[in-house]
Amino acid sequence: MRVKMKVKHLVLSIVTGIVFLVIFISFLQPPLETWSISRQLASGETEQAKERIIENIESKSRNRLQLIEKYMISPAPGAHYDIYVSPSGIMGPGPEAAERYFTLEESAPYFLEYLEKGPAGDTHRKAADILSVYYYGVGDYENLSLTLQKAAGRYDNNSEHYHELKLRNIEQAVNFQEFEAAEALIDQYEKEIPESFPDARLQVAMLEARSYMLQDKTEEALAVLDAAMEDYREHERQLLEEMKEHDPEYTNEFQEESYYLTVAEDLKASIESMDDNAWSASMEGRITRSDGQPLANAGVFLKDEPNVMRTSPSPFGEKYGTVTGPDGSYSFHGVAPGSYQVQVGLLLEQVDGWSWPADMYEWVDLEAGEAEQYDIELTPLIEINSPKDFETLENETITFDWEDYPDAASYTIFLGIEVDGGAGSLSVGFMEEIPESQITFKADDLYAKTVGFSFGDEEWDSVQPESLLAFANVHGSYFWYVHAFDEDGEFIGQSNGYRLKEETMGALPFFQLQEREMTEADNLLMKGKVREALALYKADADDIHSLRMITRINGLDEKNEEETIEYQKKLYELAPDEGTLFHIIEYYFSAGDWTETAKWYSRYQEEVPEGKQSYYVKALYGITLTRLGELEEARSLFHEVMEEDRSNEYIGNLLALELYLGTERNKVLEMAQENKERFYEILDWTPLVENLESVEEQSLMEALKLSFEGDEKELERFLADKEPSLRNFISELKKR
C-alpha cells in the first residue's frame, strides 16, 4: 500500500520538527543538562561533572551564567575564606564549603563574563569581591581595578553596591600604594557621592588619610580626617534637628555612635599616638607549607586584643588586612605600635591535610619605627593508628597509637565526646608530655575524666546527660587527637584538622568504649531524670563511679558546695586522682580557708610528680602563702610559676612581692616590661609600676601589706585618700 503525502504537509512536518528542535535546544536542554550534572555530582563523579560544566560555559550555552553562579560563585565562602586560624582558635567552615567543586584559580576566568552579563545584585557583587581577592593575591592591580570598575558600572550611584565597589577600588589603589591612581579615583568619586550617603564621604576620607599615612604625611592625614569627621557630626546634628521639628520629644540618647565614626576616631587616635620620627611599625612575612610550597591568596589580619576572636568578612574591610601574593608573602606598613595576634584566612583546599600549629599565647609586639618578620609554616597532620574508625574498646586497658612525628620530643592527647545528638562536642586535655608515639592506660582513667557540661537551658538539672557521664557512657561516641611539641616545648604539629581528599583522609579518630556496664542510675540519667539518678547514686555512695557522678551532678548547683566537697574528699581517699585533688584545693582557696588549702597542697606535692604539677595550682598556693605571711616562699613559688606560664597571668602578684621585699624599683620595672600579661586580656604592668614613683614608700608598703593579708575593708579605708596611681595598682592586683 502506498501512502501519499502532499508537499505542503511535508513542509509543515519539517518546519514543526525544526521548531521543536529549537525549543528543545533553547529551553529544555539547558535544565536537563543542569539536572544531569547534578546527578553526576551526587553520585560522586565530580571530575566528569566539572568537565561538563566547563564545556557548557565555553560553548556559550544558554545556561552558562546559571552554571557559573550555581557552581562557582554561590559555593564560594561568603566571608572570602572557609577557615580562620589564629593562636586564639579556629572558626569555620560554613555550609557552602560542602558544595564547592572548583578552586578559586579554576573559577576566576569565568567570573569576568558574569560581571559583564550576569544580573546585578548580591551575587554579582560577591563575584566582584572574590575576583578582586584573586587579582590582589597574584599582584595584578591593573585587572583588579578594571574588574571593580566594570562591576560598579552595572549600578547607578543610588545603589549601595555602587558605592561599595567604588570604595573598594580606592582601597585597592591605596593597598598597592598606587597613590596617584588613588588620588584620581578619590577626586572623581567625591563628585559622585549623593547627600544621602554620608557614610561613604567619611569612608573615602579614611582611605585618603591612610594614603597620606603610607606616604608619611601625618599632618595631611589628620587634616582630612578632622574635616570629614566634623562634616559627619554636623550631618548628624542637622538630622537630629529635623527629627525634632517633626517630634519635639524625639531624642537619640540611646542611639549608638556610627560605626564608621568610631573607626575614624580609632584611626585618628592611632595617628596621634605615633612618634614624630618613627611614627609607625611594619610587619612582613610569608605563609608556606613545611615542604616549601607557598600559599597564595591567603588572608592575613592583624588583630588587637578587643578583636582577636572576630572573623573578618573581607581582607580589605579590616584596619590591618591583606592577601598573600604568589610567593606567599604579605606585608603591613603604617601599623600603630601595640600587641597583635595574626589571624589567617584559608580556603579548604589550602589547608587540606595541613594545619598551622599556633600557640594560644603567641602575640606580636610591634614597636614604633621597627620592622617585624613573622613567617607562618603549615605542617602536615599527624596520622593516627588506633583507636580508629569507630572501633569498639572492651578491655580494661587501652592503647593509643600514632605516627612518629619529625622533631617531636613529646605529645599531648586530647579526648572528646559528642553531645546533643552529634550536633556539638566537648573535648579536654587527657595526658601531657608523653615521650613516645604510643601510650597504654586503664579504662578507669578515662572514666575519671570530665569534659565540661552542656545545658539545655539555665536550670542545673537541664544538663545534657552525655556531658555528665562523659567517657563512662557506653552508648557514647568519642574522638581523640594528638599534639606534638619539640624539645623547647613549641607546638609543631597536630592530628586534628581538615582532610578532604582520599589521599589525605587517613583513619577516622572515633571510637566507642564499652568496658563497663551502665548502672540503673546511669540509665535514669540518660533519660534526663537527673534528680532521680542523683538519689540512686547517693544510695550507693561507697562506689567510686557513684561518687564521681555525685560530685559532678552536685557540683552543678553552688548551694551544694559544702556537701560536694565531702564527697570529693571521700572519692579521693578511694581513688586518688589529680583532678579530684585540684577541685578540693580550689574549693578551700575560694572559701578563704588558707590552712586547709595549705594542707591539701601538701598532699598535691606528695602525689603529683614535680614535672607534672600545674602552674595554676602553684599560683593558688602562692597567694595562700601571702595570706599566711610566708612572703619569701611565695616569691620563690611565683618565680616558678612565671617560668611555666606563658600567659604571665600572675606577674602582678610577683611584682607586688618584689616591691614589698625591697627589690630595686628599676629591676621591678624591667620585670614588668619583659612580662606583659596575656591571659583573658592584655595588661602591661609597666605604666602601673612607673606611676608608683610618686607614691610615698610608707604608703606603698602599707597598701601592699593589707593586700597580702586580704583585709578588704581596711584596705579600702586606707586607699580612700591616696594617690590614684596607688589605687590603680592595688585594684589590678586584687583581680588576680
Side-chain angles (χ1 to χ4, degrees):
M1 178 179 177
R2 299 176 65 185
V3 178
K4 294 183 178 181
M5 180 178 288
K6 292 183 178 181
V7 173
K8 66 177 182 180
H9 292 158
L10 181 61
V11 171
L12 182 61
S13 298
I14 294 171
V15 170
T16 302
I18 292 172
V19 169
F20 179 78
L21 183 62
V22 170
I23 291 173
F24 176 78
I25 293 172
S26 300
F27 299 102
L28 299 179
Q29 188 182 26
L32 285 174
E33 183 71 7
T34 302
W35 176 83
S36 178
I37 289 169
S38 298
R39 293 278 295 175
Q40 276 190 308
L41 290 171
S43 62
E45 299 175 21
T46 305
E47 291 305 317
Q48 297 92 319
K50 285 175 63 176
E51 288 177 8
R52 287 180 68 180
I53 292 169
I54 297 300
E55 286 174 6
N56 274 267
I57 295 172
E58 293 186 346
S59 65
K60 304 297 182 182
S61 67
R62 289 180 62 88
N63 66 336
R64 63 188 181 280
L65 293 177
Q66 289 87 350
L67 290 172
I68 295 171
E69 180 177 327
K70 180 177 176 65
Y71 293 109
M72 295 179 179
I73 302 173
S74 295
H80 287 287
Y81 296 102
D82 297 308
I83 303 162
Y84 290 88
V85 188
S86 76
S88 294
I90 301 175
M91 290 165 279
E96 69 277 353
E99 298 181 356
R100 189 179 316 130
Y101 306 104
F102 291 92
T103 66
L104 182 59
E105 288 76 14
E106 291 171 331
S107 303
Y110 305 103
F111 278 38
L112 281 174
E113 181 178 4
Y114 192 89
L115 290 177
E116 292 175 359
K117 301 175 183 177
D122 291 341
T123 303
H124 182 268
R125 166 65 205 278
K126 182 179 179 181
D129 279 351
I130 296 168
L131 198 54
S132 69
V133 171
Y134 172 74
Y135 282 133
Y136 188 97
V138 298
D140 189 344
Y141 170 72
E142 184 177 343
N143 274 319
L144 189 157
S145 182
L146 184 62
T147 295
L148 294 170
Q149 289 178 49
K150 282 185 177 180
R154 298 292 305 281
Y155 305 89
D156 61 47
N157 74 342
N158 288 314
S159 165
E160 288 188 5
H161 288 323
Y162 177 84
H163 295 282
E164 289 168 352
L165 291 163
K166 284 285 188 175
L167 288 165
R168 174 64 57 80
N169 202 4
I170 296 168
E171 185 178 40
Q172 295 309 329
V174 174
N175 287 338
F176 274 90
Q177 299 192 22
E178 297 282 348
F179 300 123
E180 290 185 7
E183 185 178 353
L185 290 170
I186 289 169
D187 288 342
Q188 177 190 351
Y189 178 57
E190 285 181 329
K191 300 170 186 174
E192 303 172 352
I193 306 175
E195 290 296 326
S196 57
F197 282 80
D199 287 345
R201 291 190 178 279
L202 186 55
Q203 289 179 76
V204 77
M206 285 191 282
L207 290 172
E208 188 173 8
R210 278 187 54 205
S211 177
Y212 282 133
M213 286 170 60
L214 291 172
Q215 299 174 72
D216 291 348
K217 299 177 180 179
T218 54
E219 291 185 8
E220 291 90 334
L222 287 171
V224 166
L225 213 49
D226 283 334
M229 290 167 68
E230 180 54 37
D231 287 346
Y232 192 90
R233 292 191 179 99
E234 180 59 31
H235 173 82
E236 289 191 327
R237 285 193 290 267
Q238 290 178 5
L239 189 61
L240 179 59
E241 290 301 320
E242 290 175 10
M243 295 299 294
K244 284 184 176 180
E245 286 180 11
H246 291 88
D247 179 7
E249 301 298 321
Y250 176 81
T251 177
N252 68 341
E253 60 180 312
F254 300 110
Q255 184 176 332
E256 294 184 2
E257 187 175 65
S258 159
Y259 167 76
Y260 293 110
L261 190 57
T262 301
V263 174
E265 288 171 343
D266 183 43
L267 179 60
K268 180 182 177 183
S270 296
I271 299 171
E272 290 176 334
S273 67
M274 293 172 181
D275 184 86
D276 290 335
N277 297 320
W279 55 271
S280 66
S282 62
M283 178 172 153
E284 62 183 28
R286 292 183 72 214
I287 302 181
T288 60
R289 291 176 176 171
S290 57
D291 61 4
Q293 180 180 341
L295 263 69
N297 280 304
V300 188
F301 311 90
L302 284 185
K303 298 285 190 177
D304 55 11
E305 186 267 329
N307 299 302
V308 74
M309 286 298 292
R310 185 172 66 85
T311 56
S312 304
S314 163
F316 312 117
E318 285 283 314
K319 184 177 179 182
Y320 303 120
T322 189
V323 176
T324 57
D327 63 347
S329 64
Y330 71 91
S331 62
F332 294 102
H333 301 281
V335 181
S339 294
Y340 300 89
Q341 279 195 341
V342 175
Q343 184 183 78
V344 176
L346 298 166
L347 297 172
L348 281 174
E349 55 262 30
Q350 291 176 309
V351 77
D352 180 22
W354 299 79
S355 72
W356 176 26
D359 188 283
M360 66 179 294
Y361 299 122
E362 188 168 325
W363 290 80
V364 183
D365 293 318
L366 299 181
E367 299 184 6
E370 294 191 1
E372 182 77 17
Q373 181 74 22
Y374 190 87
D375 296 323
I376 293 171
E377 183 179 82
L378 273 61
T379 56
L381 296 176
I382 300 173
E383 298 296 332
I384 63 163
N385 298 325
S386 66
K388 63 181 180 179
D389 300 334
F390 299 95
E391 177 182 353
T392 298
L393 308 178
E394 297 178 337
N395 297 327
E396 291 185 0
T397 59
I398 300 171
T399 297
F400 278 58
D401 183 82
W402 57 95
E403 70 166 338
D404 287 324
Y405 201 68
D407 301 321
S410 68
Y411 302 91
T412 293
I413 290 179
F414 296 83
L415 299 172
I417 68 168
E418 293 186 343
V419 295
D420 196 17
S425 64
L426 298 167
S427 59
V428 64
F430 178 58
M431 286 188 178
E432 297 180 350
E433 299 184 6
I434 303 168
E436 305 292 337
S437 59
Q438 185 184 87
I439 186 74
T440 300
F441 51 86
K442 295 180 180 178
D444 192 65
D445 294 334
L446 268 182
Y447 302 148
K449 203 70 180 175
T450 58
V451 294
F453 305 119
S454 178
F455 294 87
D457 55 43
E458 295 181 359
E459 296 296 326
W460 71 270
D461 57 355
S462 72
V463 66
Q464 291 185 339
E466 57 263 50
S467 67
L468 275 170
L469 272 172
F471 302 99
N473 176 18
V474 301
H475 307 299
S477 179
Y478 308 126
F479 60 90
W480 68 286
Y481 55 95
V482 61
H483 285 183
F485 300 85
D486 64 16
E487 290 183 352
D488 298 322
E490 295 291 329
F491 182 21
I492 59 172
Q494 60 192 60
S495 66
N496 55 316
Y498 296 96
R499 302 173 186 268
L500 310 176
K501 300 180 185 138
E502 187 175 344
E503 59 267 27
T504 58
M505 187 61 68
L508 300 176
F510 294 94
F511 66 97
Q512 291 182 309
L513 184 57
Q514 297 181 359
E515 183 270 341
R516 66 182 295 270
E517 293 184 3
M518 299 281 277
T519 66
E520 183 181 354
D522 293 341
N523 290 325
L524 279 173
L525 181 62
M526 287 301 294
K527 293 176 182 178
K529 299 179 179 181
V530 180
R531 297 177 189 271
E532 294 91 330
L534 179 59
L536 275 184
Y537 287 130
K538 285 184 176 180
D540 193 17
D542 290 327
D543 173 71
I544 291 174
H545 173 68
S546 294
L547 282 169
R548 284 172 180 157
M549 298 310 299
I550 293 168
T551 60
R552 293 175 192 179
I553 298 173
N554 246 22
L556 298 174
D557 192 343
E558 292 181 358
K559 295 183 226 177
N560 300 328
E561 280 186 334
E562 291 186 14
E563 180 187 30
T564 303
I565 195 63
E566 295 306 318
Y567 282 113
Q568 283 180 326
K569 288 194 286 188
K570 185 175 182 180
L571 174 61
Y572 184 74
E573 297 305 326
L574 289 175
D577 174 75
E578 182 181 348
T580 305
L581 191 51
F582 164 75
H583 287 302
I584 296 171
I585 293 170
E586 193 173 45
Y587 168 79
Y588 284 117
F589 177 85
S590 299
D593 189 335
W594 313 118
T595 302
E596 283 294 307
T597 303
K599 183 182 84 172
W600 284 97
Y601 181 75
S602 295
R603 296 280 297 270
Y604 181 83
Q605 286 182 302
E606 294 170 5
E607 300 290 340
V608 181
E610 176 64 32
K612 304 286 186 180
Q613 292 177 12
S614 162
Y615 75 80
Y616 176 68
V617 176
K618 289 182 181 180
L620 295 186
Y621 185 56
I623 296 171
T624 299
L625 288 172
T626 63
R627 296 291 188 267
L628 295 173
E630 303 290 341
L631 303 186
E632 288 284 0
E633 189 177 347
R635 174 167 65 176
S636 177
L637 193 56
F638 275 117
H639 273 288
E640 285 185 32
V641 170
M642 290 296 298
E643 289 179 5
E644 300 170 16
D645 174 23
R646 294 189 62 187
S647 73
N648 299 328
E649 181 185 358
Y650 298 98
I651 180 61
N653 301 79
L654 180 57
L655 296 174
L657 284 164
E658 294 289 358
L659 287 167
Y660 189 79
L661 294 173
T663 304
E664 294 178 12
R665 293 282 186 97
N666 63 324
K667 291 185 179 179
V668 177
L669 186 60
E670 286 178 12
M671 291 176 63
Q673 292 168 337
E674 294 170 2
N675 298 279
K676 187 178 291 186
E677 182 179 334
R678 286 170 169 144
F679 192 52
Y680 286 116
E681 61 182 24
I682 296 175
L683 178 62
D684 186 356
W685 284 80
T686 304
L688 292 168
V689 174
E690 286 177 332
N691 292 338
L692 292 177
E693 289 296 331
S694 61
V695 178
E696 292 182 0
E697 186 74 11
Q698 185 176 350
S699 294
L700 176 60
M701 293 299 107
E702 183 62 22
L704 291 173
K705 179 176 179 294
L706 292 171
S707 177
F708 294 152
E709 293 172 352
D711 191 338
E712 296 290 336
K713 289 184 179 179
E714 182 58 27
L715 179 60
E716 186 177 346
R717 184 201 63 77
F718 177 77
L719 291 173
D721 60 348
K722 297 300 183 291
E723 297 92 327
S725 56
L726 180 58
R727 293 201 301 271
N728 291 340
F729 185 90
I730 297 298
S731 174
E732 289 296 340
L733 185 61
K734 285 165 62 178
K735 297 176 184 177
R736 272 71 200 160

